[in-house]
Amino acid sequence: FADQTGLGEGEGTTLHLPLPPQTTYDCEYKGALETALQRIKEYGAQAIVVSLGLDTHKGDPCTIRRAGFCLEGDDYRKLGEVIGQSLVREIALPLVVIQEGGYRMDAIGRAAAIVVLGLASKISGG
């Protein structure tokens, strides 16, 4: 819910970016990711934990049942590159990625590997 921004001392520290059903990387996801990364930079985080939910993959059973996202293939490399460039390379934040979610067994291993390759390409100077 976009209007939930935190309470008390945490007011303004929560950011929800609801996206429409059938979201694709280039049309909606990329812009939301860039907004989130900018807010993280403004917040002054000291480290980043990425909860990498791969139920965003096109054809994932969770996506089909809930009219979710349609990310695939190269979208995951771009996601890794953008996070790596923005948070690790530019402002040198420690980063941990925890893979969770994702039920399309023929796709999640490759998608996770592609995210890591995207991250590594930016962290190592690519």
Side-chain angles (χ1 to χ4, degrees):
F1 302 97
D3 63 337
Q4 295 178 353
T5 61
L7 297 172
E9 290 183 29
E11 177 116 20
T13 61
T14 299
L15 176 65
H16 291 284
L17 299 168
L19 297 172
Q22 306 305 309
T23 288
T24 63
Y25 183 85
D26 291 326
C27 289
E28 297 96 357
Y29 196 92
K30 180 181 176 184
L33 178 60
E34 290 170 351
T35 297
L37 294 173
Q38 184 59 43
R39 288 286 298 275
I40 290 167
K41 289 178 183 180
E42 292 168 4
Y43 176 74
Q46 296 178 352
I48 300 296
V49 177
V50 174
S51 176
L52 182 62
L54 295 174
D55 50 0
T56 56
H57 199 285
K58 184 176 183 176
D60 187 279
C62 190
T63 296
I64 294 167
R65 284 193 310 274
R66 296 192 181 124
F69 298 168
C70 291
L71 304 186
E72 55 188 331
D74 203 44
D75 296 336
Y76 291 101
R77 178 192 52 81
K78 292 184 234 178
L79 183 140
E81 287 177 350
V82 169
I83 293 171
Q85 178 68 37
S86 184
L87 299 180
V88 180
R89 194 154 184 208
E90 289 178 12
I91 58 175
L93 289 177
L95 174 76
V96 173
V97 177
I98 299 171
Q99 193 271 311
E100 54 87 16
Y103 307 95
R104 187 171 165 197
M105 295 301 141
D106 65 325
I108 63 170
R110 185 172 190 283
I114 292 171
V115 171
V116 171
L117 289 171
L119 282 165
S121 75
K122 294 302 176 182
I123 293 170
S124 65

